[in-house]
Amino acid sequence: MERRKPGKAAKPTIADVAALAGVSVSAVSKVVNDRGGISAPTRKRVLDAAAKLRWSPSATAVALRGARTRAIGMVAGRSTDVLATDPHFTLLISGIERELAPADFGLLLHIVGEEPGAEERAYRRLAEERRVDGVILTESRIGDPRFELLRQLRLPAVLVGEPWREDPVASVGAEDQEAGLRDAVRHLLEWGHRRIAYVSGPEDRVHTVYRRRVFRSALAERGLRPWRVLVSDFSAQDAVAATRELLAADAAERPTAILFANDTMAVAGMNAARRLGFDVPGELSVLGHDDLPLGELVFPQLTTVAQDVEALGRAAAVEMFRLLDLPHSPPPAIRPPTLIPRESTGPVADGS
Amino acid sequence: MERRKPGKAAKPTIADVAALAGVSVSAVSKVVNDRGGISAPTRKRVLDAAAKLRWSPSATAVALRGARTRAIGMVAGRSTDVLATDPHFTLLISGIERELAPADFGLLLHIVGEEPGAEERAYRRLAEERRVDGVILTESRIGDPRFELLRQLRLPAVLVGEPWREDPVASVGAEDQEAGLRDAVRHLLEWGHRRIAYVSGPEDRVHTVYRRRVFRSALAERGLRPWRVLVSDFSAQDAVAATRELLAADAAERPTAILFANDTMAVAGMNAARRLGFDVPGELSVLGHDDLPLGELVFPQLTTVAQDVEALGRAAAVEMFRLLDLPHSPPPAIRPPTLIPRESTGPVADGS
DNA sequence: ATGAAAGCGCTAACAA
DNA sequence: TTGTTAGCGCTTTCAT
């Protein structure tokens, strides 16, 4: 019965199962794939044999057979540093996995540096070697070359977040992606702030541009304009520099509140301000974006805008299944970004 | 020449390349795999054809053929929460990828919850479906069942960090894993601290036990004993609770310094202390572990022990290649854990 | 130096 | 209801 040398119990194959169950391989195949045409007793014998042998179909063979690889790819083109400070990526992955795992899909991850071309090479390899059925992307950029590349490679793609205008790509995002930032601006206005500065992300990011627009329009509703807008690269150092620059002005010219593009920057900026002797929120209100756990740990706790990142991940996976014509769960509801008022924002000081 | 319907340029196969080059498929195979027996001109024509068709061997077919899947698996059995606060995992992955990518290996990631059995199921699937050539593990536990499971599954495994006594598993770690913590204790002693408390990680973690031992022995060198040792679950809430408990005592009974098992806990504990009205480091010194970027962002900046996590990841990947009998780079040097003195520790207060 | 052909483990069309 | 068989794209003897 054992075709293998004893002591060298190699991986069982469908043929071993068929032999043990006393049926043909196709019978086994039909059973595991729930094609009809199998009698109940046969079915049971096959299932028993498979269980006893601890066999499940080889993903490789199934993939080769022409079906799917049952793996989704993801490429992170970021420096380790940013990756380490910002759990955005981890949360996203965690959400994606939540959907992939039950469907027995894997997530193939590539973390490449920021060297030019590294990301493109990673996608090419994924496609040419046919390792994945599709890829999930984040952080769309203006004039993002990845969509065209993936179209050429015929790799199904889903973008998390907003595409640039008419970028031809499937994407997932909250219904009202702008809600949180708009609320944040109103929150500051209600507290009497009129000189509000914004430290935005890199210019080439789509969401940078979109958010800046929201910032302006939320202020415009009250007839105001951004006090100052600085562009940063998301790093803590940049946030510190920006904060110093903003606070270097005379009292009458200083912003009374600063909005940062993300929580890491907000925390860095907040501490820079405090080292400069400014009380937060007494003399300066600080607002972040993303609601990292970090925000609750610092003192004062950070007022921020929460994003439902995990739901975004799940939605992306569901959308991918839809693209691949696979059965999938209903798309999850994605909470719109929401203001989380905490301690780093407060009423504008008397003198200001 | 084109076997495909026009406009439907399906993925090229080795046969397409062979046809275009006017040679047999086996010739193409020999060229791409650098087996000998191919004349220079033939070789060139094959390479040209492959380039023109943008062909590379299908990973699936190669894997099926019996070679390797060229993928390494990793299973994270943690709640999303912890994953989001602690970039340890991300850094590790980033290090692993640095080695895998050049070798054209992929990293197949599974994030499973903490439900019992979820992790085991993930490993089983990885093995039974033959999706990966091996797996990399972290966070070894006392009596860790994973090693036996993986042995049964015949899945090569590499552990990052210290195995429990004679756990039969390949592992990578710094030469002197205890250096940092020992230095940290000395650092506190030099500043006059005598009542030093330790808030450790979960009891079932191997490193918890090892570190506690180091803590005790470093104190014993000076004839001292731990003031108090509390066990936590790594969460920020637990750190807050532990800190409150430690500070609730009378002045004479209160620790003058607290060591936390990781930075997240240290930051949470530090802020809990400050909310209680204690000055850090004036009245209480706080020490973390891991050197998360977070530590530099908070105020006061956190004194901590830095681990070379990325090097650990690279070392794990290299060790995996060694296990698989594959060519590999020399194992990277792993910096031993190092004390990073910053602002959260200082001399013990006069009154104490 | 080159090529023909046998599988790797599986699915699906076709026969029985 | 069940079994036989031809590939999926590739590597590898074994001829030539």
Side-chain angles (χ1 to χ4, degrees):
Chain A
M1 181 141 296
E2 283 294 335
R3 313 174 4 247
R4 323 285 183 172
K5 295 197 206 77
K8 235 318 187 186
K11 299 282 162 63
T13 76
I14 194 174
D16 299 322
V17 177
L20 181 57
V23 299
S24 71
V25 291
S26 60
V28 177
S29 174
K30 280 165 191 154
V31 169
V32 301
N33 293 295
D34 267 326
R35 304 262 174 290
I38 297 290
S39 68
T42 305
R43 191 182 146 75
K44 179 168 173 10
R45 296 201 353 262
V46 168
L47 257 17
D48 288 348
K52 174 179 274 172
L53 261 31
R54 291 195 168 295
W55 172 87
S56 24
S58 145
T60 323
V62 173
L64 179 56
R65 192 57 215 350
R68 334 212 84 110
T69 63
R70 302 192 83 79
I72 300 300
M74 203 163 169
V75 176
R78 282 197 170 210
S79 71
T80 335
D81 251 34
V82 176
L83 236 35
T85 358
D86 189 351
H88 182 87
F89 212 73
T90 319
L91 286 173
L92 206 56
I93 287 176
S94 162
I96 293 171
E97 265 288 306
R98 262 234 200 328
E99 291 295 323
L100 294 191
D104 197 19
F105 265 65
L107 181 68
L108 198 64
L109 194 64
H110 277 294
I111 297 188
V112 302
E114 280 173 325
E115 318 87 63
E119 223 174 326
E120 174 180 337
R121 267 198 310 282
Y123 285 119
R124 276 199 191 284
R125 254 178 36 202
L126 245 25
E128 284 168 9
E129 299 179 355
R130 252 126 307 168
R131 271 175 180 278
V132 297
D133 296 327
V135 293
I136 293 177
L137 320 174
T138 39
E139 289 268 299
S140 70
R141 299 188 280 268
I142 294 171
D144 203 319
R146 295 178 296 176
F147 307 131
E148 169 59 17
L149 173 64
L150 292 169
R151 208 188 47 69
Q152 272 179 23
L153 296 172
R154 296 171 180 284
L155 246 195
V158 172
L159 172 69
V160 176
E162 301 149 289
W164 179 242
R165 288 176 191 159
E166 299 304 320
D167 267 345
V169 63
S171 71
V172 296
E175 286 278 309
D176 184 358
Q177 315 219 34
E178 312 179 341
L181 182 54
R182 223 166 28 229
D183 288 349
V185 174
R186 292 195 187 125
H187 168 77
L188 291 173
L189 289 173
E190 276 163 22
W191 255 333
H193 294 275
R194 291 300 175 266
R195 302 203 298 273
I196 305 176
Y198 186 47
V199 180
S200 83
E203 291 281 12
D204 66 336
R205 294 306 196 289
V206 169
H207 70 241
T208 294
V209 176
Y210 283 170
R211 285 187 196 164
R212 202 155 49 200
R213 185 174 306 159
V214 175
F215 177 57
R216 282 184 198 286
S217 88
L219 284 172
E221 286 177 12
R222 307 285 180 103
L224 293 171
R225 305 188 23 173
W227 192 247
R228 288 196 60 190
V229 173
L230 266 52
V231 172
S232 87
D233 66 0
F234 281 148
S235 74
Q237 296 92 297
D238 243 47
V240 170
T243 306
R244 292 228 174 93
E245 184 179 337
L246 289 169
L247 296 181
D250 295 336
E253 292 296 314
R254 256 190 321 251
T256 62
I258 310 180
L259 252 79
F260 287 90
N262 68 39
D263 280 1
T264 309
M265 293 175 59
V267 169
M270 180 163 79
N271 285 318
R274 296 179 67 212
R275 274 167 210 282
L276 252 32
F278 292 88
D279 181 53
V280 176
E283 298 169 277
L284 179 74
S285 283
V286 171
L287 234 146
H289 201 288
D290 286 353
D291 190 27
L292 307 192
L294 160 64
E296 276 198 309
L297 298 180
V298 296
F299 181 87
Q301 293 188 333
L302 188 67
T303 297
T304 188
V305 174
Q307 287 219 71
D308 198 358
V309 182
E310 220 196 315
L312 282 171
R314 291 203 291 133
V318 169
E319 175 65 17
M320 178 55 75
F321 285 151
R322 215 183 54 75
L323 241 52
L324 297 177
D325 262 321
L326 255 26
H328 53 87
S329 19
I334 303 171
R335 258 187 295 106
T338 310
L339 177 70
I340 313 281
R342 288 201 281 245
E343 303 168 348
S344 66
T345 46
V348 68
D350 283 348
S352 305
Chain B
M1 181 141 296
E2 284 293 335
R3 313 177 1 249
R4 321 286 182 174
K5 295 195 206 77
K8 231 329 186 177
K11 301 280 163 63
T13 76
I14 194 175
D16 299 323
V17 177
L20 181 57
V23 299
S24 71
V25 292
S26 57
V28 177
S29 175
K30 280 164 190 154
V31 169
V32 299
N33 293 294
D34 266 327
R35 304 265 172 286
I38 297 291
S39 69
T42 305
R43 190 183 148 75
K44 179 167 173 9
R45 297 204 348 264
V46 167
L47 257 20
D48 288 349
K52 174 179 273 170
L53 261 31
R54 291 196 169 294
W55 172 86
S56 27
S58 144
T60 323
V62 174
L64 178 58
R65 190 61 214 355
R68 330 214 87 109
T69 63
R70 303 191 83 79
I72 301 299
M74 203 165 169
V75 176
R78 283 197 169 209
S79 69
T80 335
D81 252 34
V82 176
L83 235 37
T85 358
D86 189 351
H88 183 87
F89 211 73
T90 319
L91 286 173
L92 206 56
I93 288 176
S94 161
I96 294 171
E97 265 287 306
R98 262 235 200 327
E99 290 296 323
L100 295 191
D104 196 19
F105 265 65
L107 181 68
L108 198 62
L109 193 64
H110 277 293
I111 297 189
V112 303
E114 279 173 325
E115 317 87 63
E119 223 173 324
E120 174 180 337
R121 267 198 309 282
Y123 286 118
R124 276 199 190 286
R125 256 178 34 202
L126 245 26
E128 284 169 8
E129 299 179 355
R130 253 127 305 169
R131 270 176 179 279
V132 298
D133 296 327
V135 292
I136 294 177
L137 318 174
T138 40
E139 289 267 300
S140 70
R141 300 187 280 268
I142 293 171
D144 204 318
R146 295 177 295 176
F147 306 130
E148 170 59 17
L149 173 64
L150 292 169
R151 210 187 46 71
Q152 273 179 24
L153 296 172
R154 297 171 180 285
L155 245 196
V158 172
L159 172 69
V160 176
E162 301 151 287
W164 179 242
R165 287 174 193 162
E166 300 304 323
D167 268 343
V169 63
S171 70
V172 296
E175 286 278 309
D176 183 358
Q177 315 220 33
E178 313 180 341
L181 181 54
R182 223 167 26 231
D183 288 350
V185 174
R186 292 195 186 122
H187 168 78
L188 292 173
L189 289 173
E190 277 162 22
W191 255 334
H193 294 275
R194 290 301 175 266
R195 301 202 299 273
I196 305 177
Y198 186 46
V199 179
S200 83
E203 290 281 13
D204 67 335
R205 293 306 196 287
V206 169
H207 70 243
T208 295
V209 176
Y210 284 170
R211 283 187 197 165
R212 202 154 49 201
R213 185 175 305 160
V214 175
F215 177 55
R216 283 184 198 285
S217 88
L219 284 172
E221 285 176 11
R222 308 285 180 102
L224 292 170
R225 304 188 22 172
W227 193 247
R228 289 195 60 190
V229 173
L230 266 51
V231 172
S232 86
D233 66 0
F234 281 148
S235 74
Q237 295 94 299
D238 243 45
V240 170
T243 307
R244 292 227 174 95
E245 184 178 338
L246 289 169
L247 296 181
D250 295 336
E253 293 295 315
R254 257 190 319 251
T256 61
I258 310 180
L259 252 79
F260 288 89
N262 67 39
D263 280 1
T264 309
M265 292 176 59
V267 169
M270 180 163 80
N271 285 317
R274 297 179 67 212
R275 274 166 210 282
L276 252 31
F278 292 88
D279 181 53
V280 176
E283 297 169 279
L284 179 74
S285 283
V286 171
L287 234 146
H289 200 289
D290 285 354
D291 190 26
L292 307 193
L294 160 64
E296 277 198 309
L297 299 181
V298 294
F299 181 85
Q301 292 187 336
L302 188 68
T303 298
T304 189
V305 174
Q307 288 220 71
D308 198 358
V309 183
E310 219 194 317
L312 282 171
R314 290 203 291 133
V318 169
E319 175 65 17
M320 177 56 74
F321 285 150
R322 216 184 52 76
L323 241 52
L324 297 177
D325 263 322
L326 257 24
H328 52 87
S329 18
I334 303 171
R335 260 186 294 108
T338 311
L339 178 69
I340 312 282
R342 288 201 280 244
E343 304 168 347
S344 66
T345 46
V348 68
D350 283 348
S352 305

